[in-house]
Amino acid sequence: MFRAFGPLGIRKRIVRMSSPTLLQQLVSYGIIGCVCSGVDTLVFTILVTVFPDYVLAINVASVSLGITMSFFLNRRYTFKLTDHTVRRYCLFFGVGMCGLVLSELIILAADCIGISIFIAKIASVFIVAVFQFILNKLISFRPEI
């Protein structure tokens, strides 16, 4: 189990990332990410308009919805690994929560310096997407889980 996280295990996964299917996975991940981020942002916008005092809590809820949608779509269409659903979901959700922390920090920092939280939210989606693809490819959807 621990060998997968050692230097050799990481090196093998990085080599596998350069396989011919990487571009296809990246495109699929991006399309699914756009759909799920769109749902996330739409829910965020509607709820913040109704409950403006709960921006960060609403971000947690909207991101959690987006992560869950993204997991089920990516496991089926991007990575084509439908085994170990609960374990993969927990790993995927953990990666998503790391992305959430990054998203929260971006929104909070933007709000502190006077940048629109909506612009910050959209910027955070792109930054977090790259971060999460790499981690999900290496951790959540590695073949030998």
Side-chain angles (χ1 to χ4, degrees):
M1 168 151 171
F2 292 105
R3 289 184 314 180
F5 291 100
L8 185 58
I10 291 172
R11 195 170 315 130
K12 284 181 182 177
R13 285 197 303 273
I14 290 171
V15 168
R16 271 198 311 264
M17 281 185 73
S18 64
S19 68
T21 62
L22 178 63
L23 181 60
Q24 294 168 338
Q25 288 178 333
L26 192 56
V27 169
S28 176
Y29 192 87
I31 291 168
I32 290 169
C34 286
V35 169
C36 295
S37 294
V39 170
D40 168 5
T41 304
L42 179 64
V43 169
F44 176 82
T45 303
I46 291 167
L47 292 177
V48 164
T49 303
V50 177
F51 306 105
D53 295 335
Y54 302 99
V55 173
L56 295 179
I58 289 168
N59 191 49
V60 170
S62 69
V63 168
S64 295
L65 174 63
I67 289 169
T68 300
M69 284 180 58
S70 181
F71 170 75
F72 286 104
L73 292 171
N74 277 304
R75 84 179 186 121
R76 171 93 167 120
Y77 299 107
T78 302
F79 299 106
K80 298 177 183 3
L81 293 171
T82 57
D83 62 336
H84 306 289
T85 301
V86 173
R87 188 169 183 189
R88 289 188 191 282
Y89 178 76
C90 290
L91 291 168
F92 192 89
F93 201 83
V95 168
M97 288 296 103
C98 291
L100 172 63
V101 169
L102 182 56
S103 175
E104 293 275 281
L105 291 173
I106 291 168
I107 290 170
L108 191 59
D111 192 40
C112 287
I113 61 174
I115 296 173
S116 165
I117 58 170
F118 299 108
I119 291 172
K121 174 66 175 177
I122 291 168
S124 76
V125 166
F126 292 103
I127 295 165
V128 170
V130 171
F131 169 76
Q132 288 178 319
F133 175 77
I134 292 167
L135 289 181
N136 281 317
K137 176 82 173 150
L138 293 173
I139 298 170
S140 307
F141 288 107
R142 68 179 187 267
E144 69 287 340
I145 194 164

